[in-house]
Structure formats: structure tokens, C-alpha cells
Amino acid sequence: MPGRAPLARWLNDTNDVTQTFLAAGQIPDLVNLAGGLPDPSTWPVSDLSDFAGRVVTEHTAEVLGYSPIDGLPDLRDRIAAEFSHGDLNLTRDNVLITTGGMQGLDLLGKVFLDPGQTIAAQSPAYLGAIDAWKPRAPQYRAMVMETNDFDAEAAMTGAQFAYTVPNFSNPSGRLVPEDQRRALVAAAEATGCWLVEDDPYGHLYYDGAPLPRMLELSANGAEVYNGPVVYLGTFSKQLAPGLRVGWVIAAPEIIVAMTTAKQGSDMFTSGLCQRVALEAMERGLPEQLLPGILDLYRTRRDALCEAMQAELTDLFTWQVPEGGMFVWAVARDPALDTDRLMKTGLEHGVCISPSSVFDPMGQDRRAIRVNFTLNPPDVLAEGIRRLARATRTELRRAA
């Protein structure tokens, strides 16, 4: 009897880190600092329940039947109006509704990448994006934008697209300054490389005023936006991740291509969830929730960084992020392997994300990503105490 046909080769190019920290949730009394999770107390449960009941009754066929592949026209119109600003003129032709931000990433791979082509990626890079594009077997060119000699045009030349998370990057928490945003837009224009602006954290500014989006900086006053930026947004951090409603804003040709790819992916995003999201927008719910979310997360960021200052200064270096959900800490001792630290941390009752999963080559094992939005200050402090003990244990093992 012949053997069964093998599975796709890309499945062999994986690691067990993600499975490890997802399974870690079953450990009693675990302090989870690994995820990128919003606090459930921020979810507007009563409002969303009310909206869902109303739209099922008032828009029955639309929300319970099949929906347009590219999204409900009313929601696309609303997002286009929300983001139109100055020289940026958007219509529904610039908007695709996706099943969460992750589907936007998946569709990018389908429409831009043939196997082996190059992505210029802000480094370190978002794990979900790396996973989404793995079946396409891309080559990566790291964009380390913190260096003084970073050359956006050189980095983007020959790449299919450049992937960035300019507002409080996952995982580094870095805010890309305005001059660098302008340089990235100029490089996209000069090289013909598409510039992806993934923006799940753009409303989470704790210090200072929001910087202009690259989408805005790329606008040229055209009647319908036709620039090089592909902008990804989501309601996961503004309302609730379970809605699974995100969007792509781009030139109409990209929206058409991604709609074609979406047709073979999930056919359409839930009409019920789309209509609930539209109700929330029309009633100004995200704006009403935002001040409370910012106060909560700012307090938790400060508590985490205070605990790190007390417990980890001899072990890691880091910067206090101006927004977002993460602190990126680099080990002072190059002998520390943070893949091993993650497993040692679990023995001590704390879970962190090691840097290897944010490196497309899996080689960076000297840093960790720590989340502060999920846990209250006392739990964050206890988690950092456990992390300090785990780190010292691992360093003794490595000696």
C-alpha cells in the first residue's frame, strides 16, 4: 500500500512557542504576560447586546442572510467618511470589510506574494503576520528603523510590499516618528513598493497627540484615493475582539484584488457583526469608551514599568512605550535564551513571549514581549517578581 500524500511543506517550518503559551492558560494561578489581550471589562456588553437584538429584528435579511463579499455598503461608506481627511478622499471603493485584522494580513499574502518573493518588514515583526504569510514562503528583509543609518528606499527596493505597525508596534511598542513615516511614504512612491500600515493600536496613545497616519501622508488630493498605502484597521481593541470585524483601506485596484481573494477564503464577513459595528460607530460608542480605556491601560503600563524598574534593571533594558499594549525588553546578558526563559517562567507561574517568534528566521532569542493591558497592577507586579526569579534561575542554568 502506498503511503498517504504528505502535508504541505510549510507546516514543517513552525515552532512550538505559540502552542506552548496558548496551552499555558490551563496552568493554575498563572500570570499571563504573553498575550496581546484587551481587558474584558472594557467590552461594552450591554450596548452590543442591545445592538445585536435590534439589528436582527430591523435588518433581518441583511444580517442573517448572505452579505456582499466586500462588506455592507453602509459600513464601507461610514469607514470611508471616518478616515477621509484633508487631501485624503475615500469612497466605499477604497474599503474592504474583513473578518478581523488577521484576514487582512492573510489576503495581503494571497494578492501580493508568489512563493519566494520579498517582504520588507519592520523588525521585530508581528507574529500573526509572519504566520499568515508562511505558506507563501517569502523572503524577508528586516527594516530596523531605530538605527541612524536606516534607508527606507534601499530597504523597499525590489520588495513586493513593506509591512509596518507604526503606532506602538507589536511587539516592540515603538512609535514611528513623523519624519520616518514621511520617508517611508516617499520610498513607496519612488520604488513602486506597496506600503502596508497595520494599525490595531492607533487609538491607544497615552502620552502626546496622535501622529498622522501614513495613509494621510500619502494622499495627493485625488478624487478617489489611489496611493501606495494599504491601511489595515480593526474593532478588536476598540470594541471587542469577538466581533471579528476589520477593514482594509487602499487604492480601488487593491480592494478589487483582495475582494477576489476573500471570495475564496470566507465568502463574506458576518453581516450581523458588521451591522453591530456600524450601530456602534453611528452612536459614537468607540469615542465614548476611549477615555476610560486610556485611563485603565495608562495606569497598568505605569504599574508594569515601575515593577520592572524595581525587579529587572540588572537583567533587561527597555523603553517605556507611549501607547499600545506592550513593553519590549532586551536581556543584558547575551547568554540568556528567552525561548528557554519562557519555559522556565512557566515553572515559576509566569508566561512571556520570547523574541524568536517575532523574527521570521527564528534566530533572535535575547528579548521578550510583555503585555500590560490584561492584568491589574497587583497581578502585573507579581508577574514581574516571578519573571525576575525565573530569569535568574535560567541564567544560573546557562552559566
Side-chain angles (χ1 to χ4, degrees), residues 72-82 90-93 95:
L72 298 182
D74 289 349
L75 181 57
R76 295 168 65 207
D77 288 342
R78 179 73 192 212
I79 290 173
E82 187 94 1
L90 302 171
T91 73
R92 72 175 61 164
D93 291 338
V95 179

PDB file of all heavy atoms in Angstrom, residues 72-82 90-93 95:
ATOM      1  N   LEU A  72     -20.841  45.296   3.932  1.00  0.00           N
ATOM      2  CA  LEU A  72     -22.077  46.058   3.830  1.00  0.00           C
ATOM      3  C   LEU A  72     -21.775  47.464   3.308  1.00  0.00           C
ATOM      4  O   LEU A  72     -20.904  48.159   3.850  1.00  0.00           O
ATOM      5  CB  LEU A  72     -22.761  46.162   5.191  1.00  0.00           C
ATOM      6  CG  LEU A  72     -23.207  44.845   5.841  1.00  0.00           C
ATOM      7  CD1 LEU A  72     -23.907  45.133   7.174  1.00  0.00           C
ATOM      8  CD2 LEU A  72     -24.130  44.062   4.921  1.00  0.00           C
ATOM      9  N   PRO A  73     -22.487  47.918   2.294  1.00  0.00           N
ATOM     10  CA  PRO A  73     -22.205  49.251   1.745  1.00  0.00           C
ATOM     11  C   PRO A  73     -22.270  50.355   2.793  1.00  0.00           C
ATOM     12  O   PRO A  73     -21.438  51.272   2.771  1.00  0.00           O
ATOM     13  CB  PRO A  73     -23.294  49.416   0.669  1.00  0.00           C
ATOM     14  CG  PRO A  73     -23.622  48.021   0.249  1.00  0.00           C
ATOM     15  CD  PRO A  73     -23.510  47.196   1.495  1.00  0.00           C
ATOM     16  N   ASP A  74     -23.230  50.287   3.706  1.00  0.00           N
ATOM     17  CA  ASP A  74     -23.343  51.343   4.717  1.00  0.00           C
ATOM     18  C   ASP A  74     -22.110  51.403   5.612  1.00  0.00           C
ATOM     19  O   ASP A  74     -21.665  52.494   5.998  1.00  0.00           O
ATOM     20  CB  ASP A  74     -24.585  51.125   5.580  1.00  0.00           C
ATOM     21  CG  ASP A  74     -25.883  51.392   4.844  1.00  0.00           C
ATOM     22  OD1 ASP A  74     -25.821  51.938   3.722  1.00  0.00           O
ATOM     23  OD2 ASP A  74     -26.952  51.046   5.378  1.00  0.00           O
ATOM     24  N   LEU A  75     -21.563  50.255   5.972  1.00  0.00           N
ATOM     25  CA  LEU A  75     -20.371  50.241   6.813  1.00  0.00           C
ATOM     26  C   LEU A  75     -19.159  50.727   6.037  1.00  0.00           C
ATOM     27  O   LEU A  75     -18.333  51.488   6.568  1.00  0.00           O
ATOM     28  CB  LEU A  75     -20.128  48.834   7.359  1.00  0.00           C
ATOM     29  CG  LEU A  75     -18.916  48.679   8.287  1.00  0.00           C
ATOM     30  CD1 LEU A  75     -18.993  49.622   9.481  1.00  0.00           C
ATOM     31  CD2 LEU A  75     -18.783  47.223   8.754  1.00  0.00           C
ATOM     32  N   ARG A  76     -19.044  50.334   4.797  1.00  0.00           N
ATOM     33  CA  ARG A  76     -17.926  50.821   3.974  1.00  0.00           C
ATOM     34  C   ARG A  76     -18.000  52.328   3.799  1.00  0.00           C
ATOM     35  O   ARG A  76     -16.974  53.024   3.883  1.00  0.00           O
ATOM     36  CB  ARG A  76     -17.938  50.113   2.616  1.00  0.00           C
ATOM     37  CG  ARG A  76     -17.676  48.599   2.730  1.00  0.00           C
ATOM     38  CD  ARG A  76     -17.993  47.887   1.418  1.00  0.00           C
ATOM     39  NE  ARG A  76     -17.109  48.296   0.348  1.00  0.00           N
ATOM     40  CZ  ARG A  76     -17.421  48.268  -0.938  1.00  0.00           C
ATOM     41  NH1 ARG A  76     -18.634  47.870  -1.328  1.00  0.00           N
ATOM     42  NH2 ARG A  76     -16.549  48.629  -1.852  1.00  0.00           N
ATOM     43  N   ASP A  77     -19.201  52.846   3.576  1.00  0.00           N
ATOM     44  CA  ASP A  77     -19.365  54.291   3.456  1.00  0.00           C
ATOM     45  C   ASP A  77     -18.969  54.995   4.753  1.00  0.00           C
ATOM     46  O   ASP A  77     -18.329  56.056   4.736  1.00  0.00           O
ATOM     47  CB  ASP A  77     -20.818  54.645   3.121  1.00  0.00           C
ATOM     48  CG  ASP A  77     -21.205  54.294   1.689  1.00  0.00           C
ATOM     49  OD1 ASP A  77     -20.306  54.098   0.849  1.00  0.00           O
ATOM     50  OD2 ASP A  77     -22.422  54.206   1.418  1.00  0.00           O
ATOM     51  N   ARG A  78     -19.357  54.410   5.882  1.00  0.00           N
ATOM     52  CA  ARG A  78     -19.072  55.041   7.167  1.00  0.00           C
ATOM     53  C   ARG A  78     -17.568  55.070   7.446  1.00  0.00           C
ATOM     54  O   ARG A  78     -17.029  56.095   7.908  1.00  0.00           O
ATOM     55  CB  ARG A  78     -19.796  54.276   8.279  1.00  0.00           C
ATOM     56  CG  ARG A  78     -19.555  54.840   9.667  1.00  0.00           C
ATOM     57  CD  ARG A  78     -20.306  56.136   9.867  1.00  0.00           C
ATOM     58  NE  ARG A  78     -19.870  56.819  11.072  1.00  0.00           N
ATOM     59  CZ  ARG A  78     -20.658  57.570  11.819  1.00  0.00           C
ATOM     60  NH1 ARG A  78     -21.933  57.710  11.490  1.00  0.00           N
ATOM     61  NH2 ARG A  78     -20.204  58.188  12.890  1.00  0.00           N
ATOM     62  N   ILE A  79     -16.878  53.984   7.166  1.00  0.00           N
ATOM     63  CA  ILE A  79     -15.433  53.953   7.373  1.00  0.00           C
ATOM     64  C   ILE A  79     -14.740  54.917   6.425  1.00  0.00           C
ATOM     65  O   ILE A  79     -13.806  55.638   6.820  1.00  0.00           O
ATOM     66  CB  ILE A  79     -14.914  52.519   7.214  1.00  0.00           C
ATOM     67  CG1 ILE A  79     -15.395  51.668   8.404  1.00  0.00           C
ATOM     68  CG2 ILE A  79     -13.389  52.491   7.112  1.00  0.00           C
ATOM     69  CD1 ILE A  79     -15.086  50.200   8.278  1.00  0.00           C
ATOM     70  N   ALA A  80     -15.196  54.978   5.168  1.00  0.00           N
ATOM     71  CA  ALA A  80     -14.617  55.932   4.219  1.00  0.00           C
ATOM     72  C   ALA A  80     -14.770  57.368   4.726  1.00  0.00           C
ATOM     73  O   ALA A  80     -13.824  58.163   4.676  1.00  0.00           O
ATOM     74  CB  ALA A  80     -15.276  55.772   2.855  1.00  0.00           C
ATOM     75  N   ALA A  81     -15.937  57.699   5.244  1.00  0.00           N
ATOM     76  CA  ALA A  81     -16.175  59.050   5.767  1.00  0.00           C
ATOM     77  C   ALA A  81     -15.331  59.311   7.014  1.00  0.00           C
ATOM     78  O   ALA A  81     -14.797  60.412   7.196  1.00  0.00           O
ATOM     79  CB  ALA A  81     -17.659  59.230   6.080  1.00  0.00           C
ATOM     80  N   GLU A  82     -15.199  58.306   7.861  1.00  0.00           N
ATOM     81  CA  GLU A  82     -14.443  58.445   9.109  1.00  0.00           C
ATOM     82  C   GLU A  82     -12.976  58.758   8.855  1.00  0.00           C
ATOM     83  O   GLU A  82     -12.352  59.534   9.584  1.00  0.00           O
ATOM     84  CB  GLU A  82     -14.571  57.146   9.910  1.00  0.00           C
ATOM     85  CG  GLU A  82     -13.985  57.205  11.292  1.00  0.00           C
ATOM     86  CD  GLU A  82     -14.992  57.574  12.360  1.00  0.00           C
ATOM     87  OE1 GLU A  82     -16.184  57.772  12.045  1.00  0.00           O
ATOM     88  OE2 GLU A  82     -14.572  57.663  13.508  1.00  0.00           O
ATOM     89  N   LEU A  90     -11.829  59.402   0.336  1.00  0.00           N
ATOM     90  CA  LEU A  90     -12.148  57.982   0.280  1.00  0.00           C
ATOM     91  C   LEU A  90     -13.619  57.772  -0.043  1.00  0.00           C
ATOM     92  O   LEU A  90     -14.475  58.553   0.390  1.00  0.00           O
ATOM     93  CB  LEU A  90     -11.844  57.315   1.626  1.00  0.00           C
ATOM     94  CG  LEU A  90     -10.407  57.414   2.134  1.00  0.00           C
ATOM     95  CD1 LEU A  90     -10.316  56.910   3.567  1.00  0.00           C
ATOM     96  CD2 LEU A  90      -9.451  56.626   1.236  1.00  0.00           C
ATOM     97  N   THR A  91     -13.890  56.719  -0.795  1.00  0.00           N
ATOM     98  CA  THR A  91     -15.249  56.267  -1.036  1.00  0.00           C
ATOM     99  C   THR A  91     -15.318  54.789  -0.657  1.00  0.00           C
ATOM    100  O   THR A  91     -14.307  54.187  -0.292  1.00  0.00           O
ATOM    101  CB  THR A  91     -15.650  56.437  -2.506  1.00  0.00           C
ATOM    102  OG1 THR A  91     -14.969  55.441  -3.300  1.00  0.00           O
ATOM    103  CG2 THR A  91     -15.303  57.834  -3.024  1.00  0.00           C
ATOM    104  N   ARG A  92     -16.493  54.212  -0.785  1.00  0.00           N
ATOM    105  CA  ARG A  92     -16.600  52.785  -0.482  1.00  0.00           C
ATOM    106  C   ARG A  92     -15.697  51.943  -1.374  1.00  0.00           C
ATOM    107  O   ARG A  92     -15.320  50.827  -1.008  1.00  0.00           O
ATOM    108  CB  ARG A  92     -18.046  52.315  -0.589  1.00  0.00           C
ATOM    109  CG  ARG A  92     -18.592  52.221  -1.997  1.00  0.00           C
ATOM    110  CD  ARG A  92     -19.980  51.638  -2.069  1.00  0.00           C
ATOM    111  NE  ARG A  92     -20.983  52.413  -1.357  1.00  0.00           N
ATOM    112  CZ  ARG A  92     -22.284  52.276  -1.537  1.00  0.00           C
ATOM    113  NH1 ARG A  92     -22.736  51.365  -2.387  1.00  0.00           N
ATOM    114  NH2 ARG A  92     -23.148  53.013  -0.880  1.00  0.00           N
ATOM    115  N   ASP A  93     -15.322  52.463  -2.557  1.00  0.00           N
ATOM    116  CA  ASP A  93     -14.425  51.724  -3.442  1.00  0.00           C
ATOM    117  C   ASP A  93     -13.029  51.559  -2.848  1.00  0.00           C
ATOM    118  O   ASP A  93     -12.237  50.745  -3.343  1.00  0.00           O
ATOM    119  CB  ASP A  93     -14.319  52.416  -4.803  1.00  0.00           C
ATOM    120  CG  ASP A  93     -15.610  52.337  -5.596  1.00  0.00           C
ATOM    121  OD1 ASP A  93     -16.422  51.436  -5.313  1.00  0.00           O
ATOM    122  OD2 ASP A  93     -15.809  53.168  -6.497  1.00  0.00           O
ATOM    123  N   VAL A  95     -12.629  50.692   0.372  1.00  0.00           N
ATOM    124  CA  VAL A  95     -12.798  49.985   1.642  1.00  0.00           C
ATOM    125  C   VAL A  95     -13.258  48.549   1.398  1.00  0.00           C
ATOM    126  O   VAL A  95     -14.214  48.297   0.665  1.00  0.00           O
ATOM    127  CB  VAL A  95     -13.824  50.709   2.546  1.00  0.00           C
ATOM    128  CG1 VAL A  95     -14.004  49.950   3.856  1.00  0.00           C
ATOM    129  CG2 VAL A  95     -13.394  52.148   2.812  1.00  0.00           C
TER     130      VAL A  95
END
